[in-house]
């Protein structure tokens, strides 16, 4: 940089550093999480539903408009869980097997139509935190995977401690991260305990890598380095603590494989020596596998990291990728104490996530508010908002998600999910210290593939089109098309349902001018298709704010 | 005036790193909107001295083995004395001595080595002098002893964590607050190496990755099946107006001021539209290979597409390229012997087909293919698998490779030895910096520029391992 002006550079940097030093968080100076309860406008209702469902529908927006956000969330918390296992068993293959299509068809049906939308949306978020995947031998039992998903559905508003135990003892997690069959060490034979689950349960499902303050920031040592949350020795000791678990039901230690019952303890394979866990928690010698498991899970559950670590990830999955520290702290506090002295109440955490002033005010509260929509959630949104109907027989048989959208429930390439909570592409976003997890799935190839899926959904698979395959989920243009007599009314309706009325004015005008070239005949379908294609493939819609 | 002030508003901490100050200074002094644009200038300036215009073609192909490959079950000491040590450390994970494929060229005195039985194609390539192994490679901040590890001195962050070790491996600057990959830094430096300034030097067949992430350059991503085009956005015909309107939508997203999340999406979509036609058009002209790539092999499919892209180099006006491909499943905590055997067979067959295809188009001397992975694995067994460790074996293939030999220092596999920090987790004795620098020198990168790509290289005594 010899020919550059170093003096000018230094001056600019000084200003920038000063602003950084003085600026502080964008909303940390506000107190209280909940804005005063007030009836939701139509646009506010649409925003809430974008965060808390698989996509707003006109009927859902109408039902929520005029109620308070708290009222809507409370009502959702009361709804009974819809079971994936029960539904998938009703959808066997022609040969009578519960296969992958059984599982994913059930997922699409429930995600698109079940009344307990918030619970299902949170379960989907949890499925990307406590990850198991059928890209492994777990695919041998899709019914078992449906049961695993039901653990997430059942505990979505329950207690984190129960969730953690149900996940830990599920045969799916047991097999996926090899706690199943993890035997006590045998020094003479040169065998150690398996560290797989022990490491990942701390790194991914409970604590994260570094010690956290309640607001999600890292605790640091005197030289400014983040303090690790646990050591390699902690991992090895937890691995030993979690020895002695294998297939449940009437199975023996090694066989037969049992994908449906929780794992059970085999004390003969359990390491009964004394162990010391993260945070210097003692596991006394002589404990049973069950007793030691309880100490281990209690230790993780009580760790101060869980509230900010899990809380922030739920915020990121539902609301915004870059919550302010104060927002994280409010959600973490709800984890730490739900107001009635209970720790780990996930219903209270989800309420805190959605009812926080930052969630409700969005860009008004935080200039960096927003998140990239997940590819799978864009597809559920499209079908929900456009009144999609299943093919004859009622099976929601869309099987292209993995190849077309790059995402499918319980099918990620590894326990690190389809995208990382810390992903950011190099450039303006990383320079601003932001993260954009879902952009990890966005590249030159995926954007075209996703757009082509949208094209098929809009231009081929609609009710009344004879060239649409009989097995396709089909959208119904009758309601949306009725707006097409007025182009502005059509775009306004799509703006409300898809973009929570946040479409920039110039975007509305651009689309309106284009749509005007198409006829309003055929129930307005051509106009609706043109407007929808442009909106749903646009980078503006790709981001939920 | 968007870049710098916006950054400061969102910065949680006032602690600025050297790198950020550098970027800040560059963008300010150059009067440019973004640090990225400023780095582009830097890259252009250095490229004029570093690379000029290349008259030949060279490509590097990174094969990333996701999950952490157990390298010490790829190349195994086969002389009786050291095989006994190997067997003693590896217990249930030990391969049988008789199953190993002899690697004659790797012998040194009484020391013999054998290759995993699932890799006969690689054994042939090794014997032909087209493949070399490099021992005990891993991310290091400096030469590191067991005492350093015990004192936690100068270690890459969060050892044994998959994602952190992957990041350390491909960034080679794990102590920097913000990381880019060495493939990305290389492309930043050689920004003007290619006559085609539209298509990035870095091409991924395996999605977004840190290895290829640079400050001023992008990565172009396509899939093993080729280029994905927007079927609804033709540039001619009745629907061409829709394409025009869509382009304006992208411009609107890019024109928004400040940190605007949709802008990145718009940039990616724009590249997809702009480059899709060009790359697709060049690929269409490539004659089919007579080499057949194995089916049901994800790595082979990706390498097949890389071979096609290399065959299209002249139509694309590319003279320097870096490709990224990957294969997963190496996190063998469980049933390692069968799982790894299957994966290694896929790699061996895929690499052999790739080499054959490159020979077919006369490019075998112009391409070097190398492996990377999260980490090596514990020598010790957890029953029927291994856990996360550090240093591992890697290998390099190409006509220009000084093959048929073992480079670096094959470690002692005695548990509790000088390189073992516990459980058979081996401290690397060759840094990724040295491994990468050797590749870059072959690629035609000058000494100063190599030091820019690998800022810690000077801490290690050997700059060039000599394998290519």
């Amino acid at each position: 940089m010899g020919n550059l002006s170093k003096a000018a550079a230094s001056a600019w940097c000084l200003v920038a550093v000063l602003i950084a030093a003085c600026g502080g968080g964008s909303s940390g100076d506000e107190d209280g999480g909940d804005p005063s309860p007030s009836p939701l406008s139509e646009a506010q209702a649409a925003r809430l539903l974008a965060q808390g469902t698989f996509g707003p529908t006109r009927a859902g927006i109408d039902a929520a408009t005029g109620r308070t956000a708290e009222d809507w969330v409370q009502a959702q918390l009361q709804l009974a869980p819809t079971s994936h296992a029960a539904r998938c068993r009703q959808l066997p293959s022609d040969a009578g097997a519960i296969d992958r299509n059984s599982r994913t068809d059930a997922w699409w049906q429930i995600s698109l139509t079940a009344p307990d939308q918030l619970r299902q949306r949170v379960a989907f978020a949890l499925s990307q935190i406590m990850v198991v995947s059928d890209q492994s031998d777990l695919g041998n039992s899709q019914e078992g995977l449906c049961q695993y998903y039901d653990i997430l559905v059942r505990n979505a508003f329950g207690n984190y401690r129960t969730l953690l135990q149900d996940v830990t003892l599920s045969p799916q997690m047991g097999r996926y991260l090899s706690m199943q069959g993890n035997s006590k060490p045998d020094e003479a034979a040169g065998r150690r305990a398996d560290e797989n689950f022990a490491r990942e349960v701390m790194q991914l499902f409970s604590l994260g890598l570094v010690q956290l303050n309640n607001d999600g920031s890292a605790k640091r040592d005197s030289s400014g380095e983040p303090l690790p949350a646990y050591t390699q020795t902690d991992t090895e000791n937890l691995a030993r603590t979690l020895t002695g678990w294998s297939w449940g039901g009437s199975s023996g230690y090694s066989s037969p494989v049992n994908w449906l019952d929780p794992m059970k303890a085999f004390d003969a394979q359990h390491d009964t020596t004394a162990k010391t866990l993260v945070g210097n928690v003692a596991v006394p010698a002589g404990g049973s596998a069950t007793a030691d498991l309880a100490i281990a899970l209690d230790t993780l559950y009580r760790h101060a990291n869980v509230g900010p670590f899990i809380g922030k990830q739920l915020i990121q999955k539902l609301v915004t990728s870059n919550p302010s520290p104060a927002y994280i702290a409010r959600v973490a506090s709800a984890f730490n104490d739900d107001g009635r002295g209970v720790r780990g109440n996930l219903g209270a955490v989800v309420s805190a996530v959605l009812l926080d002033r930052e969630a409700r005010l969005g860009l008004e509260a935080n200039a960096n508010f927003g998140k990239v929509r997940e590819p799978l959630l864009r597809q559920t949104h499209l079908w929900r908002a456009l009144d999609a109907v299943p093919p004859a027989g009622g099976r929601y048989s869309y099987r292209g998600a993995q190849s077309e959208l790059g995402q499918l429930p319980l099918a990620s390439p590894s326990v690190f999910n389809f995208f990382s909570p810390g992903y950011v592409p190099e450039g303006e976003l990383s320079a601003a210290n932001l993260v954009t997890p879902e952009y990890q799935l966005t590249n030159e190839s995926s954007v075209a593939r996703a757009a082509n899926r949208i094209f098929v959904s809009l231009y081929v698979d609609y009710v009344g089109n004879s060239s649409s395959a009989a097995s396709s989920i089909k959208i119904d243009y009758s309601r949306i098309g009725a707006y097409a007599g007025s182009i502005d009314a059509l775009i306004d309706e799509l703006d409300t349902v898809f973009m929570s009325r946040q479409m920039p004015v110039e975007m509305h005008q651009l689309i309106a001018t284009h749509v005007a070239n198409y006829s309003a005949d055929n129930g307005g379908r051509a106009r609706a298709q043109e407007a929808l294609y442009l909106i749903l493939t646009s980078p503006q819609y790709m981001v939920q704010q | 005036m968007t870049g710098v002030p916006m950054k400061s508003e969102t910065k949680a901490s006032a602690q600025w790193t050297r790198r950020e100050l550098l970027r800040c200074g560059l963008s300010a002094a150059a009067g440019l909107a973004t640090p990225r644009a400023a780095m582009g200038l830097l890259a252009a300036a250095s490229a004029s001295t570093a690379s000029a215009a290349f008259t030949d073609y060279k490509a590097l192909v990174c094969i990333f083995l996701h999950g952490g490959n157990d390298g010490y079950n790829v190349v195994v000491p086969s002389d009786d004395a050291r095989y006994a040590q190997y067997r003693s450390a590896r217990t249930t994970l030990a391969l049988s001595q008789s199953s190993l494929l002899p690697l004659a060229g790797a012998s040194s005195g009484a020391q013999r080595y054998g290759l995993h039985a699932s890799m006969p194609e690689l054994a042939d390539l090794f014997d032909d002098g087209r493949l070399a192994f490099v021992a005990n490679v891993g991310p290091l901040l400096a030469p590191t002893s067991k005492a350093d590890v015990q004192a936690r001195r100068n270690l890459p962050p969060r050892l044994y964590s998959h994602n952190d070790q992957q990041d350390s491996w491909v960034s080679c600057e794990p102590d920097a607050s913000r990381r880019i990959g060495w493939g990305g830094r290389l492309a930043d430096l050689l920004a003007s190496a290619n006559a085609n300034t539209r298509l990035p030097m870095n091409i991924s067949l395996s999605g977004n990755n840190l290895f290829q992430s640079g400050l001023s350059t992008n990565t172009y991503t396509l899939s093993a099946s080729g280029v994905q085009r927007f079927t609804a956005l033709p540039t001619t015909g009745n629907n061409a107006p829709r394409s025009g309107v869509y382009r304006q939508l992208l411009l609107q997203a890019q024109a928004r001021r400040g940190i605007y999340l949709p802008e990145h999406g718009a940039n990616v979509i724009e590249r997809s539209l702009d480059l899709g036609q060009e790359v697709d058009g060049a690929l269409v002209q490539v004659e089919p290979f007579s080499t057949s790539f194995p089916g049901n092999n994800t790595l082979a499919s990706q390498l097949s597409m890389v071979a096609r892209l290399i065959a299209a180099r002249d139509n694309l006006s590319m003279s320097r390229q870096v490709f990224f491909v990957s294969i997963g499943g190496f996190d063998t905590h469980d049933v390692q012997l069968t799982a790894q055997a299957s994966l290694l067979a896929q790699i061996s067959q895929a690499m052999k087909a790739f080499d054959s295809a490159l020979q077919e188009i006369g490019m075998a001397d112009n391409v070097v293919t190398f492996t990377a992975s999260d980490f090596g694995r514990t020598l010790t067994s957890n029953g029927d698998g291994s856990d996360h460790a550090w240093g591992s074996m890697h290998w390099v293939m190409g006509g220009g490779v000084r093959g048929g030999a073992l480079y670096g220092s094959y470690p002692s596999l005695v548990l509790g030895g000088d390189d073992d920090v516990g459980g058979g987790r081996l401290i690397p004795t060759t840094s990724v910096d040295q491994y990468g620098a050797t590749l870059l020198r072959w690629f035609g990168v000058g000494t100063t520029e190599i030091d820019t790509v690998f800022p810690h290289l000077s801490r290690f005594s050997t700059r060039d391992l000599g394998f290519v």
Side-chain angles (χ1 to χ4, degrees):
Chain A
M1 53 187 283
N3 57 349
L4 302 177
S5 160
K6 286 178 185 166
S10 307
W12 265 54
C13 280
L14 181 61
V15 172
V17 170
L18 287 174
I19 295 171
C22 306
S26 27
S27 66
D29 44 347
E30 306 287 339
D31 54 2
D34 299 4
S36 56
S38 59
L40 295 166
S41 69
E42 189 181 66
Q44 289 168 333
R47 270 189 80 246
L48 176 61
L49 296 175
Q51 295 165 348
T53 74
F54 285 90
T57 63
R58 171 41 67 187
I61 293 169
D62 287 346
T65 302
R67 298 165 72 187
T68 64
E70 185 165 48
D71 186 27
W72 183 85
V73 170
Q74 277 304 320
Q76 283 287 318
L77 292 181
Q78 304 308 317
L79 293 177
T82 305
S83 163
H84 287 249
R87 184 65 188 135
C88 94
R89 289 185 190 112
Q90 295 164 352
L91 299 170
S93 70
D94 292 342
I98 308 296
D99 61 9
R100 192 185 212 203
N101 292 337
S102 313
R103 177 171 76 81
T104 61
D105 291 2
W107 187 89
W108 284 101
Q109 175 169 3
I110 292 168
S111 301
L112 293 175
T113 68
D116 55 328
Q117 281 284 304
L118 177 58
R119 178 187 289 279
Q120 296 290 337
R121 177 74 192 268
V122 172
F124 179 57
L126 291 172
S127 80
Q128 300 192 83
I129 298 172
M130 297 171 153
V131 173
V132 299
S133 169
D134 74 354
Q135 304 302 290
S136 69
D137 60 1
L138 270 55
N140 294 338
S141 175
Q142 295 288 342
E143 184 180 7
L145 285 161
C146 288
Q147 288 196 176
Y148 182 83
Y149 206 89
D150 275 351
I151 291 174
L152 310 178
V153 170
R154 184 169 73 233
N155 292 300
F157 304 148
N159 195 286
Y160 170 82
R161 173 68 175 77
T162 312
L163 172 67
L164 187 61
Q165 177 152 331
D166 287 358
V167 162
T168 299
L169 292 184
S170 74
Q172 283 68 42
M173 188 58 79
R175 185 65 177 171
Y176 194 55
L177 296 184
S178 55
M179 180 174 143
Q180 176 273 322
N182 178 23
S183 304
K184 65 181 175 187
D186 181 344
E187 237 174 81
R191 191 182 70 221
R192 292 175 297 97
D194 186 321
E195 297 166 13
N196 196 8
F197 181 73
R199 179 185 307 283
E200 308 305 0
V201 70
M202 290 196 285
Q203 179 174 340
L204 300 174
F205 307 162
S206 60
L207 311 187
L209 285 159
V210 300
Q211 295 179 34
L212 300 176
N213 297 304
N214 205 43
D215 67 1
S217 58
K219 293 184 179 171
R220 292 172 187 278
D221 65 17
S222 54
S223 60
E225 289 301 309
L227 290 164
Y230 51 89
T231 64
Q232 171 62 21
T233 306
D234 291 332
T235 303
E236 292 170 14
N237 289 345
L238 182 58
R240 288 164 52 214
T241 305
L242 298 177
T243 48
W245 294 88
S246 192
W247 305 117
S250 57
S251 296
Y253 187 67
S254 310
S255 64
V257 173
N258 182 333
W259 293 114
L260 300 180
D261 292 306
M263 294 196 294
K264 65 175 189 271
F266 291 80
D267 281 321
Q269 300 296 336
H270 180 62
D271 179 348
T272 57
T273 59
K275 291 139 300 221
T276 305
L277 302 180
V278 59
N280 282 321
V281 173
V283 182
S288 66
T290 306
D292 284 5
L293 176 84
I295 296 172
L297 296 185
D298 282 344
T299 301
L300 299 181
Y301 161 71
R302 290 187 188 127
H303 195 289
N305 267 33
V306 183
F309 183 70
I310 296 293
K312 180 180 179 185
Q313 287 195 71
L314 287 173
I315 295 171
Q316 288 183 310
K317 295 274 190 309
L318 301 180
V319 175
T320 183
S321 298
N322 298 280
S324 70
Y327 182 11
I328 296 170
R330 291 188 290 266
V331 170
S333 296
F335 182 94
N336 299 339
D337 183 342
D338 67 355
R340 290 170 298 160
V342 177
R343 179 177 178 80
N345 177 347
L346 293 173
V349 172
V350 170
S351 296
V353 167
L354 289 179
L355 298 177
D356 194 273
R357 62 182 301 279
E358 194 162 321
R360 301 281 35 88
L361 295 177
L363 287 166
E364 288 175 43
N366 184 336
N368 296 317
F369 186 86
K371 71 187 294 292
V372 177
R373 296 176 202 265
E374 295 176 42
L376 207 56
L377 295 177
R378 279 179 252 164
Q379 189 65 37
T380 59
H381 193 180
L382 183 156
W383 276 330
R384 278 173 57 78
L386 299 177
D387 310 301
V389 294
R395 279 189 82 133
Y396 284 76
S397 45
Y398 170 53
R399 282 84 185 257
Q402 197 161 15
S403 62
E404 294 177 329
L405 308 176
Q407 201 184 11
L408 187 78
L410 305 189
S412 83
S414 80
V415 72
F416 286 82
N417 193 31
F418 295 98
F419 49 86
S420 152
Y423 179 81
V424 60
E426 180 53 39
E428 286 262 296
L429 297 169
S430 62
N433 260 8
L434 300 178
V435 296
T436 51
E438 298 82 1
Y439 265 149
Q440 192 165 354
L441 292 177
T442 299
N443 56 53
E444 293 81 0
S445 186
S446 70
V447 293
R449 229 181 259 266
N452 293 343
R453 175 64 239 175
I454 289 167
F455 175 73
V456 171
S457 299
L458 297 175
Y459 290 83
V460 180
D461 291 335
Y462 58 85
V463 172
N465 184 15
S466 57
S467 54
S468 170
S471 61
S472 300
I473 299 173
K474 293 175 178 52
I475 63 176
D476 183 347
Y477 278 115
S478 57
R479 192 184 64 76
I480 288 286
Y483 289 94
S486 159
I487 289 170
D488 282 336
L490 171 68
I491 298 173
D492 281 344
E493 173 63 7
L494 299 178
D495 184 4
T496 302
V497 177
F498 286 105
M499 296 182 71
S500 307
R501 221 43 201 264
Q502 294 168 325
M503 185 184 291
V505 174
E506 70 268 22
M507 180 174 171
H508 180 115
Q509 288 167 347
L510 179 65
I511 294 171
T513 307
H514 174 70
V515 169
N517 296 323
Y518 292 77
S519 140
D521 297 346
N522 290 321
R525 193 185 69 236
R527 286 184 167 182
Q529 285 169 324
E530 289 302 307
L532 279 162
Y533 181 84
L534 290 170
I535 292 169
L536 296 179
T537 59
S538 72
Q540 290 88 343
Y541 165 73
M542 200 187 286
V543 174
Q544 168 188 307
Q545 285 177 313
Chain B
M1 171 146 165
T2 52
V4 172
M6 283 307 296
K7 177 160 70 173
S8 63
E9 284 166 22
T10 55
K11 184 110 181 148
S13 143
Q15 190 177 35
W16 282 51
T17 65
R18 177 193 58 79
R19 171 195 290 287
E20 283 166 331
L21 287 166
L22 173 72
R23 292 167 152 227
C24 175
L26 281 165
S27 51
L32 294 171
T34 67
R36 174 170 285 248
M39 282 306 289
L41 279 190
L42 173 70
S46 49
S48 63
T49 55
S51 56
F54 290 109
T55 53
D56 57 348
Y57 176 86
K58 284 185 177 178
L60 288 169
V61 181
C62 174
I63 301 180
F64 203 96
L65 313 178
H66 279 293
N69 177 45
D70 190 338
Y72 295 108
N73 264 11
V74 174
V75 176
V76 176
S78 57
D79 53 90
D80 288 347
R82 290 187 313 141
Y83 179 80
Q85 295 169 351
Y86 160 85
R87 175 151 201 106
S88 165
R90 305 232 67 177
T91 63
T92 58
L93 301 177
L95 305 169
S96 80
Q97 192 174 10
S98 62
S99 74
L100 300 170
L101 308 174
L103 294 172
S107 299
S108 167
Q111 300 192 337
R112 300 275 183 280
Y113 294 91
L115 183 65
H116 193 289
S118 295
M119 308 186 99
E121 298 84 2
L122 288 196
D124 290 346
L125 286 164
F126 184 86
D127 290 343
D128 290 350
R130 311 177 66 76
L131 185 93
F133 289 97
V134 189
N136 206 18
V137 180
L140 292 172
L141 293 182
T144 300
S145 68
K146 196 164 167 177
D148 291 330
V149 176
Q150 283 158 350
R152 298 185 188 168
R153 244 188 328 258
N154 220 7
L155 302 180
R158 297 178 278 282
L159 287 171
Y160 319 131
S161 149
H162 280 290
N163 52 339
D164 294 273
Q165 287 273 80
Q166 285 174 2
D167 289 359
S168 293
W169 223 104
V170 301
S171 73
C172 281
E173 201 182 9
D175 47 346
S177 67
R178 291 198 21 236
R179 278 173 269 167
I180 55 174
W182 50 271
R185 279 200 295 276
L186 172 64
D188 287 347
L189 273 177
L190 302 185
S192 55
N194 292 313
N196 185 343
T197 54
R198 299 172 303 279
L199 184 63
M201 174 181 291
N202 272 305
I203 293 185
S204 172
L205 280 290
S206 187
N208 302 3
N209 65 87
L210 183 66
F211 172 67
Q212 296 180 306
S213 177
L215 287 180
S216 60
T217 52
N218 297 302
T219 303
Y220 178 70
T221 300
L222 72 170
S223 74
S225 59
V227 177
Q228 289 291 319
R229 307 284 302 278
F230 285 74
T231 51
L233 298 176
T235 50
T236 57
N238 288 343
N239 289 321
R242 185 193 296 141
S243 302
V245 172
Y246 189 70
R247 289 284 193 162
Q248 291 179 57
L249 266 184
L250 300 183
L251 289 175
Q252 288 181 358
Q254 292 164 329
R256 281 283 176 123
R257 289 301 186 101
I259 301 297
Y260 183 58
L261 291 175
E263 184 182 356
H264 173 73
N267 294 342
V268 174
I269 294 169
E270 187 176 55
R271 282 202 298 277
S272 180
L273 289 165
D274 289 345
L275 296 172
Q277 185 163 8
E278 180 173 6
V279 176
D280 211 17
L283 285 172
V284 165
Q285 297 176 47
V286 173
E287 298 288 328
F289 293 112
S290 60
T291 302
S292 71
F293 280 80
N296 199 20
N297 180 327
T298 170
L299 183 62
S301 307
Q302 295 170 60
L303 288 173
S304 167
M305 184 52 63
V306 172
R308 289 170 55 81
L309 288 161
I310 291 171
R313 69 199 175 276
D314 287 341
N315 288 334
L316 290 170
S317 303
M318 299 300 281
S319 52
R320 284 294 181 277
Q321 291 190 281
V322 178
F323 297 96
F324 182 84
V325 298
S326 78
I327 172 172
F330 290 89
D331 195 21
T332 48
H333 292 276
D334 212 2
V335 291
Q336 171 167 315
L337 287 176
T338 46
Q340 195 196 16
S342 156
L343 293 167
L344 295 180
Q346 290 178 54
I347 294 171
S348 183
Q349 291 161 19
M351 289 183 73
K352 172 67 179 174
F354 185 54
D355 183 65
S356 301
L358 292 177
Q359 293 197 47
E360 188 182 330
I361 58 172
M363 279 287 112
D365 293 348
N366 304 65
V367 179
V368 169
T369 304
F370 65 96
T371 58
S373 191
D374 313 24
F375 37 60
R377 306 193 71 82
T378 56
L379 296 176
T380 53
S381 166
N382 63 31
D384 62 349
S386 56
D387 292 297
H388 305 177
W390 195 353
S392 192
M393 297 297 299
H394 287 279
W395 53 98
V396 185
M397 177 182 81
V401 169
R402 298 189 184 101
L406 176 65
Y407 293 83
S409 168
Y410 197 97
S412 160
L413 301 187
V414 176
L415 295 180
D418 284 347
D419 295 330
D420 176 15
V421 293
R425 290 179 171 84
L426 301 183
I427 306 168
T429 40
T430 293
S431 71
V432 177
D433 311 56
Q434 297 171 285
Y435 182 68
T438 307
L439 294 166
L440 262 53
R441 198 194 47 74
W442 170 82
F443 204 57
V445 182
T447 302
T448 312
E449 289 72 26
I450 288 176
D451 283 333
T452 305
V453 175
F454 295 106
H456 298 165
L457 179 63
S458 60
R459 300 175 185 176
F460 301 93
S461 55
T462 308
R463 298 177 55 90
D464 185 342
L465 301 174
F467 56 73
V468 63

